[in-house]
Amino acid sequence: TYDVVKKEVTHSNLQMLDQVKETVDSRFNEINRISLQLQSDPAVQSFQQVKEPFRDTTAYKVYRTQKSLYSYNAANGFILNYYLIFKNSDLALSPDSTYELPSFYRYMFSDPSKDYTTWRNDLLGHFRNREIMSSGSTVYQGKTTDLLTYVQSLGYPGHIQGALMILVDNQRLQSLLRGIDISDGGWVSIVDEKGRLVTSLSSGGMVTRQSLPPGAKSGVIEASAATGGMMMTYTTSSYNGWSYVVAQPPHVVLSKVLAIKHTTVTILLAFLIFGLILAYLFATRSG
């Protein structure tokens, strides 16, 4: 009974992680389609070559390109907004705004850990393909917000023309993980295919990336010194290679199992004591 219930409980945990994985895969699949649409937009491709955006009639091209952008946040609740960053013109365009890049970083979006020059060089100095550039606290529209910054570079490796930044609401992503019991120091995290943290929730324990068995797609790792005394459940997405890992104290995962074990032991002890009393009485009577 103990083994059967333990298997059922761990299987239930895996199912919950798989549900989160499928939802996240679906949302990011939509984000990837949006990214492809914007990259292939002729207006966006043409604007990548603009170097002096406010000279003569080019200013009208800025206006026309910005007005051609479609707002996708109504179709995908994960998306707060997106910005097309153009390297040659140093402009940031969105469906509802146009900013010169220094002003955009000062007033609209900024990473507290980087100054403008460092951020610009990082964004436009490395070719990124469907990559989470950063996650965590970000200053967005003057307020500190928990965001994921999804980046798709414009152009091609060795010839970067800009970047598409899609701002993903990390709170929406974390809300999917809140159904998992991580009480008493447990944690749950999503890490990308390169082992970088995408998002996590913790009830007090340390959020780390557990070394998963090579080639394994899903499974359970029993509690040991190597896991910090935690029982690990994990699954990996075949869509983008992200791993979903939850660490829980064994008594949290196996609470139902331990309750059955406790009940069984109590019953056995009760019968044993009752049997000893009967044996004593029969032995006394016989004597």
Side-chain angles (χ1 to χ4, degrees), residues 12 15 26 38 47 59 75 80 105 125 178 192 202 229 232 275 280:
S12 176
Q15 279 187 320
S26 174
L38 288 169
F47 198 81
L80 284 179
Y105 194 71
R178 289 195 173 95
D192 67 12
S202 171
M232 316 288 297
Y280 171 76

Side-chain angles (χ1 to χ4, degrees), residues 44 47-48 69 82-94 99-101 104-105 109 116 119-120 123-124 151-154 160-166:
V44 172
F47 198 81
Q48 293 176 24
L69 300 178
Y82 71 87
Y83 295 90
L84 285 160
I85 311 298
F86 294 98
K87 183 177 181 179
N88 290 328
S89 59
D90 258 356
L91 284 186
L93 304 184
S94 77
Y99 280 92
E100 292 183 312
L101 207 49
F104 167 76
Y105 194 71
F109 171 94
Y116 168 71
W119 172 79
R120 186 184 186 280
L123 178 67
L124 301 176
V151 175
Q152 171 62 56
S153 296
L154 304 177
I160 299 172
Q161 296 294 306
L164 166 64
M165 282 176 42
I166 299 179

Side-chain angles (χ1 to χ4, degrees), residues 42-230:
V44 172
Q45 291 180 346
S46 174
F47 198 81
Q48 293 176 24
Q49 311 305 321
V50 172
K51 295 183 178 180
E52 297 180 0
F54 301 113
R55 182 179 178 182
D56 301 329
T57 58
T58 312
Y60 177 69
K61 188 171 185 178
V62 174
Y63 173 81
R64 187 179 60 191
T65 304
Q66 187 264 320
K67 289 300 178 184
S68 70
L69 300 178
Y70 178 75
S71 178
Y72 291 98
N73 54 351
N76 187 317
F78 275 39
I79 299 176
L80 284 179
N81 209 343
Y82 71 87
Y83 295 90
L84 285 160
I85 311 298
F86 294 98
K87 183 177 181 179
N88 290 328
S89 59
D90 258 356
L91 284 186
L93 304 184
S94 77
D96 53 10
S97 64
T98 300
Y99 280 92
E100 292 183 312
L101 207 49
S103 298
F104 167 76
Y105 194 71
R106 187 179 301 117
Y107 301 114
M108 203 67 183
F109 171 94
S110 61
D111 184 340
S113 65
K114 299 175 183 176
D115 59 26
Y116 168 71
T117 303
T118 304
W119 172 79
R120 186 184 186 280
N121 291 340
D122 191 21
L123 178 67
L124 301 176
H126 305 88
F127 189 86
R128 303 176 189 275
N129 183 33
R130 302 178 181 182
E131 186 177 310
I132 300 296
M133 180 177 170
S134 63
S135 64
S137 295
T138 305
V139 179
Y140 175 60
Q141 295 182 341
K143 298 178 181 179
T144 301
T145 311
D146 196 3
L147 296 178
L148 299 178
T149 308
Y150 170 103
V151 175
Q152 171 62 56
S153 296
L154 304 177
Y156 50 87
H159 189 68
I160 299 172
Q161 296 294 306
L164 166 64
M165 282 176 42
I166 299 179
L167 307 183
V168 178
D169 187 354
N170 199 21
Q171 294 296 324
R172 288 291 189 97
L173 191 56
Q174 289 182 346
S175 68
L176 298 175
L177 303 174
R178 289 195 173 95
I180 300 172
D181 188 354
I182 54 170
S183 55
D184 290 350
W187 52 264
V188 57
S189 63
I190 303 175
V191 292
D192 67 12
E193 71 283 2
K194 296 181 180 178
R196 294 170 299 191
L197 187 66
V198 175
T199 191
S200 65
L201 284 177
S202 171
S203 68
M206 183 179 292
V207 180
T208 59
R209 187 188 192 285
Q210 172 69 19
S211 297
L212 304 178
K217 292 296 183 182
S218 64
V220 176
I221 303 173
E222 296 291 343
S224 66
T227 64
M230 295 289 182

Side-chain angles (χ1 to χ4, degrees), residues 230-245:
M230 295 289 182
M231 189 171 180
M232 316 288 297
T233 309
Y234 67 94
T235 186
T236 304
S237 169
S238 58
Y239 173 68
N240 55 15
W242 289 8
S243 294
Y244 299 72
V245 187

